[in-house]
Amino acid sequence: MSHHPKLAILGFGTMGQAICAGLVEASGYPAGLIHAVDIHPSAMKARAEALGIRLSKEVETAVKEAEVVLLCVKPKELKGLLSELTAAGALDHKPLVVSIAAGTNLAFLDEHTPEGTPLIRAMPNTPCSIRKGMVVLSPGKGVTEAQLAIARALFEPLGRVMDLDEKHMDAVTGLSASGPAFMFVILESLAEGGVQCGLPRAVATELAAQMTLGAASMVLETGKHPAALKDEVTTPAGCTIAGLMVLEDGRIRSVVARGIERATQVAAGLG
Ligand SMILES: NC(=O)c1ccc[n+]([C@@H]2O[C@H](COP(=O)([O-])OP(=O)(O)OC[C@H]3O[C@@H](n4cnc5c(N)ncnc54)[C@H](OP(=O)(O)O)[C@@H]3O)[C@@H](O)[C@H]2O)c1
């Protein structure tokens, strides 16, 4: 298989478009090798045209022509879609099928695809659209290192890629796939604080976003524990410890952690 396999993206919604945008706009994946399929393609025509990819309703054609099939429909749509494709023989001898559906385990995918189909579960997030994504991969039974390498090569241009055992996938979904929404709310709250203290909203939003980016990059680049980095900026009787005390009064840690726990529980029930 070439460095850029022929790709069928089934479901061109939020994630299908985010992955496609990351591949074509941000990492130079040849648009001509991507065929996206959606049941309502007219609604996304402009986006597909801007990306230069093919978009149609022709699911069997797209899958038959593809080397790698990326399943980007909602979990509840997956069973019907896979049954249709299996019945039509479209998935026979497919080199690789990757599903990003939340809460849908490899056993389910295995049950609804032809015997021996190489399956990988992937959990991306929307920052993949700007190459700042996080993607976790869990290979199915019998997936070779070469097949896993194809999936890694597909997602690596979109951000960080990590392999994890499938038992962690619901927690990955609650933290890293739902996470951007949580961070947007936290970012908005940070900006509101700035506005409350007199900053123009656009300035407050930019400061909040760049500060969040910087703090996250410090964790990733220094490898230090977040608590150690927090201690470094917390001087005795200073403004930072004063602000932290208020956040702790509001139980920020347990509220955020329980949000991830709840998202994980719901993710587990989506399949
Ligand atoms: N959103 C996220 O941040 C995120 C992150 C990680 C993983 N995921 C997973 O990614 C998958 C897609 O999520 P999403 O948020 O992108 O959903 P979405 O925006 O609803 O996109 C799914 C698209 O697939 C279309 N579709 C439905 N049935 C189809 C079929 N049989 N053939 C072709 N297209 C079909 C839908 O059309 P209609 O709208 O007309 O039904 C919709 O346009 C889900 O399984 C989700 O668990 C999402």
Side-chain angles (χ1 to χ4, degrees):
M1 200 183 298
S2 80
H3 178 53
H4 290 125
K6 275 191 176 178
L7 194 59
I9 297 183
L10 309 189
F12 196 55
T14 304
M15 273 322 293
Q17 291 182 36
I19 291 171
C20 212
L23 288 173
V24 175
E25 288 177 337
S27 64
Y29 201 96
L33 296 178
I34 300 178
H35 186 166
V37 177
D38 205 280
I39 40 177
H40 298 116
S42 53
M44 301 105 179
K45 202 165 157 255
R47 188 71 186 114
E49 278 174 8
L51 291 168
I53 62 152
R54 182 171 166 199
L55 173 67
S56 78
K57 287 170 87 165
E58 298 155 30
V59 68
E60 281 178 35
T61 310
V63 171
K64 279 182 178 158
E65 289 173 0
E67 292 167 291
V68 175
V69 178
L70 198 53
L71 301 167
C72 298
V73 298
K74 290 284 188 202
K76 65 180 167 50
E77 315 288 354
L78 213 47
K79 188 174 171 184
L81 177 62
L82 290 177
S83 303
E84 179 190 333
L85 291 171
T86 301
L91 287 169
D92 291 350
H93 314 296
K94 205 42 63 189
L96 188 61
V97 175
V98 180
S99 166
I100 68 162
T104 308
N105 59 27
L106 286 161
F108 175 95
L109 297 169
D110 194 44
E111 196 185 323
H112 293 92
T113 48
E115 205 180 332
T117 303
L119 296 163
I120 292 180
R121 239 182 117 177
M123 191 44 63
N125 60 12
T126 50
C128 283
S129 63
I130 56 158
R131 301 189 71 182
K132 297 279 194 285
M134 182 71 233
V135 184
V136 174
L137 301 176
S138 290
K141 275 198 306 274
V143 165
T144 63
E145 194 46 48
Q147 288 161 334
L148 191 54
I150 293 167
R152 280 199 205 104
L154 188 67
F155 289 113
E156 265 163 4
L158 308 183
R160 287 183 177 241
V161 178
M162 189 189 282
D163 302 342
L164 277 182
D165 191 281
E166 192 189 14
K167 70 180 180 203
H168 295 303
M169 235 19 176
D170 294 328
V172 168
T173 306
L175 175 53
S176 142
S178 298
F182 305 148
M183 281 315 301
F184 294 138
V185 169
I186 291 170
L187 255 165
E188 195 187 0
S189 312
L190 293 165
E192 296 267 82
V195 171
Q196 167 70 7
C197 297
L199 291 176
R201 182 165 293 278
V203 171
T205 302
E206 186 172 338
L207 294 186
Q210 178 62 18
M211 175 278 294
T212 303
L213 187 62
S217 301
M218 279 182 83
V219 173
L220 289 173
E221 288 172 26
T222 65
K224 287 186 183 174
H225 191 287
L229 292 165
K230 181 257 298 168
D231 286 355
E232 284 172 15
V233 289
T234 311
T235 51
C239 56
T240 307
I241 189 67
L244 283 169
M245 302 283 278
V246 176
L247 298 183
E248 298 287 6
D249 287 347
R251 299 166 61 198
I252 184 161
R253 291 169 198 255
S254 61
V255 167
V256 173
R258 291 253 183 250
I260 305 298
E261 183 186 37
R262 187 70 196 114
T264 300
Q265 289 162 350
V266 174
L270 287 177

